[in-house]
Amino acid sequence: MVIEDEKDIVDLLAYALRKEGYEVRSATQGREGLELIRRGPTDLALIDIMLPDLDGLEICRRVRTDENLRNLPVIFLTARGEEVDRVIGLEMGADDYVVKPFSPRELVARIKAVLRRRERGEERRDVIEARDIRLDPRTQEVIVRGQTVMLSTLEFRLLHFMASHPRRIFARENLLDQVWGRDRFVTPRTVDVHIRRLREKIEAQPDKPRFLQTVRGSGYRFTVESSEDAQA
Ligand code: CA
C-alpha cells in the first residue's frame, strides 16, 4: 500500500514495485489510504509523512493502535531535514524510513529487508517472563511493573532478542546483525538510539537502567536480576 500525495512518486513506486512482483494499491490522501489498509489484505505500507489530510505519523499511530493492523510493516517516506528528526524523535512505530529523493532500487531493498525481518520475527514467538517484566511477541506488548508498554516492532525485536539471552553481552555490530539483519542501512549508532528509547519506555530510571545495561567498551546486555542473584 502506497500513501503519497505526489502522483509522480506514486507512479514511480508502483512501476518499480510491480516489476519486483508486488501488487500495489495507492492513495493520495491519508484517510483514503488508511481505509484501504483497513480493507486489506496489506503486507506492507509505504507512507508519506506530509499528506493533505491525515499525516503519515497519525496514520501510523492509528495502524499501531488497531488490533488487526498493529504488526503491519510500515516504511515512512520523508522529505529531508526536519521530518527525519521528527520521525526519529517521535518513533511512531515505523519499521524504517527513506528520505526523498530515494532510488526505487534502494526502496525495494529496504522493503525486502523489512519483510524478511518480519518473517524471522514471526518465528520467534516465545513469551518471556521474568520477575517484573513480560514480553509477548504475539501482541508485541511488554508488561513491566504491571504497566503495559507499547513498543515499535524494531524496539520489541531488539528487547526480545536481548531478553532471550539474559546477561550475555552484545556488541553493537552483533545486535545489528541479529536484530536488523544483513540488509540493514544503519550504523552502530542506531543501536544506541534504540536502547535509549527502550530505556525510556521500560526502565523506572532510564539513567540508571536495571534491564538494559551498558557494558563499557563492549556493548549492552539484558538482566532481570541484581548481579548477586544472577551469580547464584
Ligand atoms: Ca507529501
Side-chain angles (χ1 to χ4, degrees):
M1 182 70 215
V2 179
I3 309 177
E4 162 66 74
D5 59 328
E6 287 170 71
K7 194 72 176 62
D8 290 351
I9 297 181
V10 174
D11 291 345
L12 177 78
L13 287 176
Y15 176 78
L17 293 172
R18 287 192 179 116
K19 221 169 68 179
E20 290 289 324
Y22 295 110
E23 283 174 41
V24 183
R25 286 174 300 151
S26 64
T28 52
Q29 303 262 326
R31 277 178 218 288
E32 179 199 359
L34 185 60
E35 188 48 43
L36 286 175
I37 287 176
R38 287 197 168 128
R39 251 180 260 161
T42 309
D43 296 314
L44 182 139
L46 300 171
I47 308 177
D48 183 28
I49 302 272
M50 294 296 286
L51 291 162
D53 54 344
L54 205 57
D55 75 33
L57 300 175
E58 181 58 23
I59 296 172
C60 191
R61 197 188 65 76
R62 293 191 191 183
V63 163
R64 288 290 173 254
T65 53
D66 185 319
E67 191 68 30
N68 300 314
L69 297 176
R70 58 166 48 154
N71 293 317
L72 177 74
V74 171
I75 298 177
F76 278 138
L77 311 173
T78 78
R80 258 184 209 296
E82 196 184 341
E83 282 186 4
V84 177
D85 295 342
R86 277 179 72 203
V87 175
I88 295 170
L90 291 173
E91 179 51 49
M92 294 302 290
D95 291 81
D96 203 352
Y97 66 92
V98 291
V99 179
K100 297 177 198 174
F102 50 82
S103 76
R105 182 196 291 238
E106 184 197 354
L107 183 67
V108 167
R110 298 244 196 149
I111 289 171
K112 287 183 177 168
V114 166
L115 291 175
R116 199 147 37 216
R117 263 186 343 228
R118 188 55 59 109
E119 274 168 28
R120 276 207 304 267
E122 277 168 6
E123 290 161 12
R124 294 190 294 248
R125 288 184 170 275
D126 294 351
V127 172
I128 294 177
E129 205 158 10
R131 290 226 169 156
D132 49 1
I133 191 163
R134 182 175 195 277
L135 282 72
D136 190 340
R138 289 163 303 187
T139 56
Q140 209 167 292
E141 275 175 349
V142 175
I143 298 170
V144 60
R145 295 177 299 276
Q147 298 270 337
T148 302
V149 180
M150 287 304 296
L151 303 181
S152 75
T153 304
L154 205 49
E155 286 165 353
F156 188 89
R157 195 180 303 125
L158 175 61
L159 183 62
H160 190 267
F161 174 74
M162 292 182 70
S164 304
H165 306 88
R167 302 192 67 239
R168 194 166 134 192
I169 299 168
F170 291 101
R172 290 169 181 77
E173 281 292 341
N174 210 322
L175 289 171
L176 285 175
D177 287 344
Q178 295 290 336
V179 178
W180 275 259
R182 266 187 305 120
D183 306 296
R184 59 194 159 86
F185 292 83
V186 287
T187 67
R189 170 95 186 89
T190 307
V191 176
D192 302 335
V193 172
H194 279 79
I195 292 278
R196 198 180 64 223
R197 248 184 244 142
L198 274 173
R199 282 174 176 161
E200 279 161 13
K201 290 186 177 181
I202 68 166
E203 300 284 358
Q205 295 174 278
D207 53 337
K208 292 197 191 98
R210 186 167 71 93
F211 297 116
L212 290 168
Q213 299 176 346
T214 301
V215 182
R216 210 160 281 283
S218 299
Y220 296 107
R221 71 174 169 192
F222 179 92
T223 66
V224 285
E225 297 129 273
S226 70
S227 49
E228 300 87 59
D229 292 344
Q231 300 292 335

